[in-house]
């Protein structure tokens, strides 16, 4: 898996399960959670749509929470993020 810093308070973990097959784990604040977006047009959904439009197979796990801080993300990583390394 590759960690890709998306914003100051978000993180995307990209795992390539095979050629062109990606699972992206998003964690972050309201921007990642989708606050203020409409019709499912949040950052994670847009990212998956872009990959899909290029012929890739992509799925996403979104752990974004409005108001979440980096300290909270780090605290939650053991239960939310780390288990996905083994399964995706």
């Amino acid at each position: 898996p590759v960690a890709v810093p998306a914003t100051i308070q978000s993180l995307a973990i990209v795992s390539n399960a095979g050629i062109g097959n990606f699972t992206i784990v998003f964690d972050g604040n309201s921007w990642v959670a989708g606050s203020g977006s409409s019709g499912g047009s949040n950052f994670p959904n847009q990212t998956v749509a872009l990959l899909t439009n290029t012929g890739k197979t992509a799925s996403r796990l979104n752990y974004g929470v409005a108001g979440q801080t980096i300290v909270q993300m780090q605290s939650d990583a053991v239960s939310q993020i780390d288990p996905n390394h083994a399964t995706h």
Side-chain angles (χ1 to χ4, degrees), residues 46-85:
Q46 289 181 33
T47 303
V48 169
L50 286 171
L51 285 170
T52 302
N53 289 340
T54 62
K56 308 285 190 281
T57 301
S59 61
R60 57 129 180 81
L61 300 170
N62 187 351
Y63 293 107
V65 176
Q68 182 169 242
T69 66
I70 292 173
V71 172
Q72 291 167 321
M73 287 172 56
Q74 290 171 328
S75 176
D76 294 341
V78 172
S79 63
Q80 292 180 340
I81 307 303
D82 295 347
N84 292 295
H85 286 283

Side-chain angles (χ1 to χ4, degrees), residues 11-66:
L11 178 68
I13 305 295
V14 181
S15 176
N16 190 348
I19 302 301
N21 298 314
F22 297 90
T23 297
I24 307 171
V25 181
F26 294 90
D27 194 6
N29 57 15
S30 58
W31 189 64
V32 175
S35 297
S37 65
S38 61
S41 63
N42 59 37
F43 165 64
N45 288 348
Q46 289 181 33
T47 303
V48 169
L50 286 171
L51 285 170
T52 302
N53 289 340
T54 62
K56 308 285 190 281
T57 301
S59 61
R60 57 129 180 81
L61 300 170
N62 187 351
Y63 293 107
V65 176

